[in-house]
Amino acid sequence: MTILEFTDVHLSFAGVKAIDGVSFTVGRQELFAVIGPNGAGKTSIFNVLSGVYRPRSGRVVFDGTDLVGKRPHEIAALGMARTFQNVELFANLTVLDNLMLGRHNHIRYGPLSAIAWLGRARRAELAAREAVEQIVDFLELEQWRRLPVGLLPYGVQKRVELGRALAMEPKLLLLDEPVGGMNVEETEDMARFILDIRDELDIPIVLVEHDMGLVMDLADRVLVVDFGRAVATGPPADIQHHPDVIRAYLGEVQPT
Amino acid sequence: MKGRPLLHTSYASEMALFNTPAKRVWFGVLLAVAVAVPFLLTDDILQLLALCCVAAIGAIGLGLVTGYAGQVSLGHAFFLAIGAYTAAAISGDPDGRVIGFGVTNMLVWLPAAGLAAAAAGVLVAPLATRLRGLYLAIVTLGLVFIGQHIASEWSSLTGGVGVGRPAASLEVFGYQLATTDAFATRDQKLFWLMLALLLVFALAARNLARSKVGRAFTAIRDRDIAAGVIGVNLARYKTIAFAVSSLYAGCAGALLYTVSGYFDPSSFSLLLSVQYIAMVLIGGAGTVSGAIAGAFFITLLPRLTRELQAWVPFISTQPNEVPNVFQVETILYGVLIIVFLIFEPRGLFGLWVRARNYWKAWPFSY
Ligand SMILES: Nc1ncnc2c1ncn2[C@@H]1O[C@H](COP(=O)(O)OP(=O)(O)OP(=O)(O)O)[C@@H](O)[C@H]1O
Ligand SMILES: [Mg+2]
């Protein structure tokens, strides 16, 4: 069973072929990693998936629905959540408010109930707050709850962004370099959270990451891209020894 | 929890509007002062304060679209005009010189003015989904010129430039809300009425701002791509922002001229839009109390500059002499906007936060 089918997608920017015919599928229990050198097109794949970019051609089917041409909020409503390579949090808002924003689609009332703030809106806000507190617990964010996100250390911000994505109760989670710029300790914490998400919350994950150790440890399957093309797909052990991969990517990093 | 008033034992108590004793006390004191004030002040000042309250309703509206949702609108004067003319036409004398339908009940013309302006706001909103920042500001500026042109041409509605028409009448089911009687003067009643309306509109805005809708507004303002990716429908929420903001402007426009009783199409100029922008920026964008403070400040400013004349005798009160108080006023708006943007972007609200933090930390300076 697959949750995502990405088929022969092409995307270009003024002559730069950011994605040049990439295909892959992600299973419902899978932790699928995408690796590749800088500028290979990894983030572009995420941007196509979440509706930020519209591909020139190709098919993207998520949980039975074609995503091409859909706008980001429609794709979010279908159950796709993501984090960004450079944290895209609402820096002026507190951790709690950022997480509450993640629950936007699960809070159902309109502007009129909001103005009156009677039964319906109040109940919905309280329910959302309780759900958000569970995420605070899960990601161990208690001590920062009420602080504006902009004041927090980078590693914590990355965790808050993960929390915001989790608050959406997604069917598929896209993580763009979740440990980029983190120290060893923060990286280990994050790895633990990613495994917990897959194993305890049963959410399939697509992971873009430069940290080879992390990818080799966590991923079920790996896709290697280079210059917008898929170089190889397979289990981490096979990928490490694939000659094209070594040429394209691992040439600069000694395979472990 | 006795003895620890800041400890919340449920999410509900923490999420309450006045969630600390300090906020409750402050609000109570302010309200008591406001209700008592008419017994202490002269009628002309009360009239001015009534105007402040109405301006605050308009400023809260602009604050929602510009301060919260980040959509800079210079078109506020246009929506104020729609409200003012809708109300005046509905409540106007059917046999008069200008269009009037003779429905003088405020419970009819006030909502109608708000809804008419909100409808216009919904029509304008698609611009905001295509344009951003400065471009949106310039296009909404265009609305002001279109509005002014229509208002000066359509004299059967507006009475024409230099003549004008009577404003809506303050009446509910035949009962005059603002007439001098044995208990209170017209201006005292006017002040209480506008204060009560301001409270209602401010409370509604605060509720909206702390809800799902208000959070979506801030998300759009701060990072629209991330907002879309977490599920915020940008077009829908920009439309809501413009609709609510225009609704506030429409109601403010309808009420604004009931104080003086008469108005003229030249009122709805770019200067009016700029004054409202100044209220929001000086008060502190993104807060309801800031918009109220800014509205009081800007509305009282002309009065203060006129007082200034007593101290600085070379400033004239005659518009045809240089320098005159009107020039000083215009320059002051500009200078204040610049000073606040550079030194305290959070506006008067920011000054208040600083003062509060200073006293909280006192006697430590950090
Ligand atoms: N908005 C854009 N406009 C123009 N070019 C773009 C845009 N986004 C991406 N590109 C180009 O597309 C190519 C792929 O970029 P992408 O960000 O997907 O790479 P990446 O694999 O995520 O790299 P990194 O590891 O550095 O994050 C690059 O050549 C980049 O310059
Ligand atoms: Mg990238």
Side-chain angles (χ1 to χ4, degrees), chain B residues 265-333:
Chain B
S266 62
S267 312
F268 305 101
S269 65
L270 175 59
L271 179 64
L272 190 64
S273 282
V274 171
Q275 282 175 338
Y276 276 86
I277 290 276
M279 290 173 193
V280 171
L281 291 183
I282 290 175
T287 62
V288 170
S289 38
I292 298 175
F296 273 72
F297 187 78
I298 293 292
T299 313
L300 292 173
L301 193 63
R303 176 72 188 215
L304 296 177
T305 52
R306 233 141 285 174
E307 300 284 337
L308 190 73
Q309 203 257 334
W311 305 92
V312 192
F314 66 87
I315 299 175
S316 161
T317 47
Q318 300 303 314
N320 52 359
E321 288 172 27
V322 177
N324 64 50
V325 284
F326 304 101
Q327 290 170 327
V328 172
E329 240 170 79
T330 316
I331 294 170
L332 261 182
Y333 291 141

Side-chain angles (χ1 to χ4, degrees), chain B residues 31-243:
Chain B
L31 195 63
V33 169
V35 171
V37 123
F39 301 111
L40 307 171
L41 297 176
T42 58
D43 279 356
D44 64 324
I45 293 188
L46 285 178
Q47 220 181 70
L48 197 60
L49 288 176
L51 276 177
C52 288
C53 292
V54 181
I57 295 174
I60 292 171
L62 185 63
L64 285 172
V65 77
T66 299
Y68 279 94
Q71 310 297 306
V72 179
S73 166
L74 282 175
H76 218 53
F78 175 73
F79 300 111
L80 286 160
I82 290 180
Y85 285 114
T86 308
I90 290 176
S91 109
D93 178 1
D95 308 318
R97 177 174 55 82
V98 286
I99 298 173
F101 297 97
V103 185
T104 49
N105 193 339
M106 187 173 97
L107 298 181
V108 175
W109 58 251
L110 188 58
L115 290 178
V122 170
L123 292 179
V124 168
L127 292 174
T129 60
R130 296 177 183 275
L131 303 168
R132 14 166 110 202
L134 209 51
Y135 295 99
L136 180 63
I138 290 170
V139 172
T140 51
L141 170 64
L143 290 176
V144 176
F145 294 120
I146 294 171
Q148 267 204 304
H149 183 73
I150 295 174
S152 59
E153 293 297 308
W154 191 359
S155 50
S156 61
L157 173 71
T158 67
V161 180
V163 187
R165 68 167 293 158
S169 67
L170 290 171
E171 183 193 314
V172 174
F173 299 117
Y175 174 75
Q176 291 293 333
L177 294 172
T179 45
T180 304
D181 61 22
F183 304 104
T185 67
R186 170 178 187 270
D187 294 311
Q188 284 174 325
K189 288 186 179 174
L190 210 53
F191 172 76
W192 281 318
L193 173 66
M194 300 308 180
L195 180 69
L197 287 168
L198 170 59
L199 281 177
V200 172
F201 279 93
L203 184 68
R206 279 284 278 134
N207 279 345
L208 192 69
R210 67 184 172 138
S211 73
K212 167 192 184 182
V213 180
R215 280 194 301 268
F217 286 174
T218 10
I220 293 173
R221 176 191 69 195
D222 291 350
R223 284 182 190 273
D224 54 355
I225 291 183
V229 166
I230 58 169
V232 176
N233 181 343
L234 299 187
R236 179 176 146 82
Y237 279 90
K238 284 179 183 176
T239 307
I240 293 176
F242 266 95

